[in-house]
């Protein structure tokens, strides 16, 4: 999988060396409240999920969530990017950042780079699944040109319906 650069970020594949940051983004209640039912129980749990999710995605579909590295410090501050959802046969654009980086336009910056990658993948559209109460993520999706499409049930979340946003790409 390739690496992408933005003015403030390097978006690169996760490695097992990122497990501490991956654990944090999957265990802090403030970070996962709209996206994940159960927090990671330990670093070992996070490492297992890393192998099961982004690392497996890179190997099986050729893309997955990017680790977002803050260029100023080299710190992994979250993730952004595309994930194939086999249960929906869709590719989702998602993002998750540490709270100290919220409100700085970083999710939009990273999302724009990830959307640019869709052309190389030959995708004709992407979706974002967003909890109805997550106003911040809804705002980012709209800035990235995604529009509300419908509401769907999602088995991985503890809410009855989730908003599905969609962005179509022109044919090449």
């Amino acid at each position: 999988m390739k690496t992408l650069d933005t003015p403030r970020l390097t978006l690169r594949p996760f490695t097992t060396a990122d497990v501490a940051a991956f654990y944090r983004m999957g265990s802090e209640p403030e970070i996962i409240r709209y996206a994940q039912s159960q927090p990671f129980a330990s670093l070992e749990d996070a490492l297992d999920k890393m192998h099961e999710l982004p690392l497996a995605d890179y190997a099986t579909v050729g893309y997955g969530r990017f680790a977002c590295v803050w260029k100023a410090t080299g710190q992994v501050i979250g993730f952004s990017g595309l994930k194939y959802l086999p249960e929906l046969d869709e590719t989702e654009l998602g993002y998750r950042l540490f709270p100290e980086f919220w409100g700085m336009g970083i999710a939009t910056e990273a999302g724009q780079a990830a959307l640019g990658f869709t052309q190389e993948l030959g995708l004709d559209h992407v979706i974002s699944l967003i909890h109805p109460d997550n106003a911040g993520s809804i705002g980012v999706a709209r800035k990235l040109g995604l529009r509300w499409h419908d509401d769907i049930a999602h088995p991985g979340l503890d809410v009855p319906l989730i908003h599905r946003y969609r962005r179509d790409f022109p044919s090449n």
Side-chain angles (χ1 to χ4, degrees):
M1 201 170 94
K2 72 182 303 170
T3 297
L4 307 174
D5 279 303
T6 74
R8 298 179 289 177
L9 301 169
T10 298
L11 305 175
R12 61 156 174 80
F14 277 102
T15 70
T16 56
D18 301 320
V19 69
F22 194 76
Y23 172 75
R24 181 178 176 204
M25 67 186 86
S27 63
E28 286 188 13
E30 187 177 17
I31 298 173
I32 66 170
R33 72 177 157 190
Y34 295 123
Q36 183 177 327
S37 302
Q38 295 295 317
F40 296 151
S42 63
L43 279 174
E44 293 79 22
D45 185 29
L47 185 60
D48 288 345
K49 289 294 185 192
M50 182 181 278
H51 282 286
E52 180 184 320
L53 298 169
L55 300 180
D57 290 342
Y58 305 153
T60 59
V61 296
Y63 61 92
R65 305 286 198 218
F66 290 103
C68 294
V69 179
W70 190 242
K71 284 182 176 178
T73 64
Q75 172 191 11
V76 174
I77 63 167
F79 72 65
S80 180
L82 306 170
K83 176 170 181 47
Y84 178 69
L85 304 175
E87 66 276 18
L88 299 174
D89 193 26
E90 298 270 21
T91 296
E92 181 197 30
L93 172 66
Y95 29 85
R96 189 180 296 185
L97 299 170
F98 295 159
E100 60 268 28
F101 292 91
W102 293 355
M104 299 170 59
I106 295 169
T108 303
E109 182 177 323
Q112 287 170 333
L115 287 174
F117 184 47
T118 61
Q119 187 173 21
E120 290 181 44
L121 298 173
L123 298 174
D124 63 0
H125 73 279
V126 295
I127 64 165
S128 282
L129 301 177
I130 303 174
H131 188 288
D133 297 336
N134 192 342
S137 284
I138 290 170
V140 171
R142 288 179 176 155
K143 287 178 193 171
L144 293 172
L146 284 88
R147 299 291 172 244
W148 180 85
H149 185 68
D150 59 7
D151 288 336
I152 62 169
H154 191 283
L157 299 175
D158 296 331
V159 294
L161 293 175
I162 198 87
H163 293 329
R164 177 171 26 192
Y165 284 76
R166 180 177 168 132
R167 178 171 170 187
D168 293 310
F169 303 113
S171 299
N172 293 336

